[in-house]
Amino acid sequence: MPRPHVQYVETAAPGVRLWTERRGDPDRPALLLIMGAQASGLGWPEELCDALAARHHVIRYDHRDTGRSTPAYEKEPYRLTDLAGDVTAVLDGLGAGRAHLVGMSLGGTLAQLVLCDRPDRVLTATLFGTRALSTAPLVHADGTRTAAADLPGVDPRILAEWARPVVDHGVEAELDRRVRHWRLLAGEDVPFDPEYFRDLERRVVAHTGRYVPSGAHARADQSGMDRTDALAATRVPVLVVDAPADPVAPPPHPRHLAQVTGGGAALVTVPGMGHALPRPVLAPLARAILGHTAGP
């Protein structure tokens, strides 16, 4: 496979540019990977990127304030919806008119925003580790309903970890913190490999050139993200990946998201998957994505 190609693209915000990386045949349909909050594009494992590049021109990128993209928030605070604009900026900058979107966590939120606001740019969407941008209730098989606001929240252990102040005690201590965080996010159904995640974060730190996270995405304005009607009206093919061990968007959030999207999105379960991408889930996740992008 040809060596990945790196390119910077400009956003709508003056002076803000994004690091992007492409791999695979550029004549194949584009597939854009959208990572979660505070996460560099290197959070998408090489093994997964290569598997998807067998059929697609795969693109991953660094959000603002992550990786090698512009650290922008301190100079000019932005809204999370602005990060959805960055998705189309990446497509524009790389000359990709439409793309398959794959979004994890905040990336799944941004993919929903693009799906609703710019459906002309989306071939398909695959969403996981995320909650529906909809206030519509979850309708159960017996006809009873659960309000969206009453669906399960984030695991208290994750909330406690997020509430802990990040103190600079050096790079190794920061790697310890990140591995501890991944251990919680990964859930308890797949054996946890701390060295796998430590190596991942070492590569992120080397790529970024710094190890203290900015926290910008947690501080960004989260208003204006409800897309109840637009989600229900979408006709773009959507796949929701059910991660049964996800402590951030636990079941039945995936079923709710599938139900409120376009009259019923496809739903597939990756056994043991949590809010992370350890090796055991990569092959089944790649199969699910590729099966979806191949169409009916």
Side-chain angles (χ1 to χ4, degrees):
M1 185 174 295
R3 184 182 180 87
H5 176 74
V6 170
Q7 181 177 335
Y8 286 86
V9 302
E10 303 297 323
T11 72
V16 177
R17 66 177 193 162
L18 306 176
W19 175 92
T20 74
E21 179 205 83
R22 296 177 284 155
R23 70 182 70 195
D25 186 343
D27 292 329
R28 289 177 172 161
L31 186 150
L32 179 61
L33 299 168
I34 312 172
M35 235 311 138
Q38 303 303 145
S40 159
L42 265 64
W44 294 104
E46 300 294 324
E47 180 180 336
L48 179 63
C49 293
D50 286 341
L52 299 175
R55 298 189 195 172
H56 291 286
H57 186 210
V58 174
I59 305 164
R60 59 180 178 175
Y61 73 102
D62 291 338
H63 296 295
R64 305 182 198 185
D65 290 286
T66 74
R68 296 182 181 177
S69 292
T70 304
Y73 189 82
E74 297 303 330
K75 180 181 292 186
E76 188 68 39
Y78 48 80
R79 302 166 61 187
L80 286 184
T81 51
D82 293 326
L83 299 183
D86 290 350
V87 173
T88 53
V90 169
L91 298 179
D92 290 342
L94 301 182
R98 301 175 71 196
H100 300 279
L101 304 185
V102 178
M104 173 179 178
S105 196
L106 173 65
T109 299
L110 301 181
Q112 289 180 68
L113 290 170
V114 178
L115 176 70
C116 291
D117 299 347
R118 294 299 310 271
D120 57 306
R121 308 303 299 273
V122 187
L123 292 169
T124 70
T126 300
L127 313 171
F128 52 96
T130 193
R131 298 163 184 249
L133 298 180
S134 174
T135 58
L138 171 66
V139 181
H140 301 278
D142 62 1
T144 59
R145 300 180 173 220
T146 300
D150 293 334
L151 294 174
V154 179
D155 188 305
R157 293 171 295 177
I158 302 290
L159 294 176
E161 180 66 23
W162 289 347
R164 294 174 63 166
V166 178
V167 180
D168 183 1
H169 290 302
V171 64
E172 293 302 322
E174 172 61 16
L175 291 173
D176 289 342
R177 185 193 70 81
R178 296 187 190 190
V179 171
R180 183 177 69 242
H181 187 210
W182 281 122
R183 186 183 296 274
L184 292 171
L185 291 174
E188 300 174 353
D189 292 358
V190 171
F192 185 76
D193 182 352
E195 290 308 312
Y196 168 85
F197 284 99
R198 195 175 192 89
D199 179 64
L200 168 69
E201 291 298 341
R202 280 193 190 281
R203 286 187 282 111
V204 169
V205 168
H207 168 74
T208 304
R210 59 187 183 277
Y211 62 85
V212 177
S214 74
H217 297 168
R219 291 178 284 151
D221 183 348
Q222 299 184 26
S223 64
M225 294 202 294
D226 176 53
R227 294 294 186 276
T228 302
D229 294 340
L231 268 180
T234 187
R235 292 299 176 261
V236 174
V238 175
L239 172 68
V240 178
V241 177
D242 177 18
D246 190 339
V248 176
H253 279 284
R255 185 157 57 90
H256 178 241
L257 176 54
Q259 191 179 93
V260 302
T261 301
L267 182 67
V268 64
T269 299
V270 173
M273 187 172 172
H275 202 80
L277 297 173
R279 280 199 180 97
V281 310
L282 299 183
L285 179 61
R287 285 195 297 271
I289 295 169
L290 291 173
H292 180 55
T293 60

